[in-house]
Amino acid sequence: MKILAIESSCDETAVAVVEDGVKIISSVIASSHEMHEKYGGIVPEVAARKQLEFMIPTLDEALSQASMKLSDIDAIAVTIGPGLIGSLLVGVETAKTIAATSGKPIIPVNHVLAHMYANFIVHDAVIPGSTRNPSSSSNTGSRLNGRDDKQDIQFPAISLVVSGGHTELYLMESLKKLTWLGGTLDDAAGEAFDKTARLMGFGNSGGLAIQNAASKHRESSIEDRIKLPRPMLDKDNELNFSFSGLKTAIWREWNKCHPGLDPGSPKKMDSGSEAGMTSMFAHEVQESITDVLVKKTIRAAELNNARSILLSGGVSANLRLREKFSAFNTQFPVYVPPVALCTDNAVYIASYAFFRGNQVPWDSVTAVPDLSVEEISQL
Ligand code: KG4
Ligand code: ZN
């Protein structure tokens, strides 16, 4: 079954054609990311206008890369939420128009639940329009430090979806049966990375900028001056997260280290001690966030006698997070998609639609910006 999927929940406009939920035929992503740089964050109005502009060319390109016409497609999948209303509407109305005019079935998709299905994608070529995953021996979602045996992912699995807007833990008893176990009570882990990056003067480059800065940290190069909290780790049986206190602590410690410097202003890196301070700070932020994510996920796996762990969402691209999880690989096989399938794209939207989606009449599909990620419907 060939599904054409459309994703436009945030600032990306993505279209993919995927066969039987696992094989990428084409994947195209257009982003207005750079445009948001000067505003210090995503401006919903700007994002939606750009998506209107990008949607048809992206659709055309995805079909052309797949060497297909619309008539070759069996169903249309589309993200209906959660996300920005203006952005969602662009994708939803496009998908409805295609469905209504072509008579193809339409499958509405929950973006957050869909993230985890990136772990079930099989492909042996470089993903079109994406970068190769430097930490993986092949360009496929794979078991950390292990052979590429994701087809044998064992259930029950614990699935951590960790992105810019969400930090959620699910029990996955089968490809269809999902139960929400816990999530963030306030900010998402990706938001903590993104706000820190802005505070440190890295603009909108987010978690990747923190990861790159942290990789330059050498334990011996500077005496560690800050120690950040690991929120909620004392509550052993509680599978929720909280990152807003950490964000405040990060803000306080950064300002203490940089008295008089405006938050977010680029720093002069000519002094060795400033560069050392920046990498030390980024390192501690990354350690704190990843410690919490790993410990809570492992606890969830223990409590539910999980047979595997699946990571997904933009933050699961983080190399330090992957490294920490790989230490548990003998206890629980840990799976993670290649970097290009961690961040937003339409491939996993199609995969979710194939494995768990429902075909509905096109005129019943609407954008739902606050679509629940806890009350899991058959969506
Ligand atoms: O899944 P995603 O592309 O979009 C949402 O659905 O939110 O995730 C974006 C998030 C951002 O917060 C970004 O900073 C984070 O993923 N991210 C990373 C890395 N790459 C992207 N966080 C930490 N380390 C990375 N290497
Ligand atoms: Zn996402």
Side-chain angles (χ1 to χ4, degrees), residues 67-78:
S67 305
M68 283 181 188
K69 298 187 292 300
L70 212 42
S71 53
D72 300 316
I73 299 295
D74 300 302
I76 316 294
V78 64

Side-chain angles (χ1 to χ4, degrees), residues 347-370:
V347 171
Y348 57 76
I349 303 299
S351 180
Y352 178 93
F354 178 81
F355 287 116
R356 197 170 183 277
N358 275 336
Q359 299 182 1
V360 300
W362 69 264
D363 55 357
S364 70
V365 179
T366 45
V368 188
D370 57 352

Side-chain angles (χ1 to χ4, degrees), residues 136-151:
S136 160
S137 56
S138 71
N139 200 33
T140 59
S142 55
R143 182 170 163 179
L144 285 170
N145 285 353
R147 64 200 174 83
D148 186 14
D149 54 1
K150 66 200 158 297
Q151 308 234 42

Side-chain angles (χ1 to χ4, degrees), residues 48-61:
R49 277 169 187 264
K50 276 284 153 198
Q51 282 163 321
L52 273 177
E53 202 179 296
F54 292 155
M55 183 51 79
I56 303 296
T58 308
L59 202 52
D60 272 352
E61 181 62 23

